[in-house]
Amino acid sequence: MLPDKLSTIETEYAEIEKSISDPKIISDSVKFIELSKKRKELFPLIEKIRSYKKIEQEIFHLGEMLKTDDSDLLELAKLELLEFENKKSK
């Protein structure tokens, strides 16, 4: 459910980005300003979504590292996994 909402927000942001560069939108100052404001509102959320996805990816890769037989690498992966889990929960 949450990934769907995040994806919807990302899609909306991408569509706004694309629209803002459209000459038809650029020539319509009202629409351009409206889209620019919406883009500005969404930008902080988009940054958080991207950060969240990066953390998810790191957690996945660390999970793969936990399958190693190398005790030093395993310990490092465990520590980093805890760190990313804490970041994810914030």
Side-chain angles (χ1 to χ4, degrees), residues 10-56:
E10 285 182 303
T11 300
E12 179 183 4
Y13 186 80
E15 288 172 3
I16 290 170
E17 289 271 282
K18 184 178 177 184
S19 295
I20 284 177
S21 63
D22 183 338
K24 291 178 184 176
I25 299 296
I26 293 170
S27 65
D28 181 350
S29 61
V30 173
K31 186 70 174 170
F32 183 79
I33 290 170
E34 176 187 320
L35 288 172
S36 295
K37 286 180 180 179
K38 184 67 176 172
R39 179 179 173 261
K40 184 178 179 181
E41 289 173 14
L42 288 177
F43 185 73
L45 187 54
I46 290 297
E47 285 186 317
K48 289 181 182 188
I49 290 170
R50 290 176 181 163
S51 177
Y52 177 82
K53 285 185 169 188
K54 184 176 180 181
I55 290 169
E56 284 280 302

Side-chain angles (χ1 to χ4, degrees), residues 54-79:
K54 184 176 180 181
I55 290 169
E56 284 280 302
Q57 187 176 32
E58 289 293 332
I59 289 171
F60 173 79
H61 290 300
L62 288 168
E64 292 296 310
M65 287 175 59
L66 291 175
K67 298 175 184 174
T68 185
D69 292 332
D70 182 335
S71 62
D72 290 335
L73 187 56
L74 182 61
E75 190 60 35
L76 179 62
K78 286 179 182 178
L79 290 173

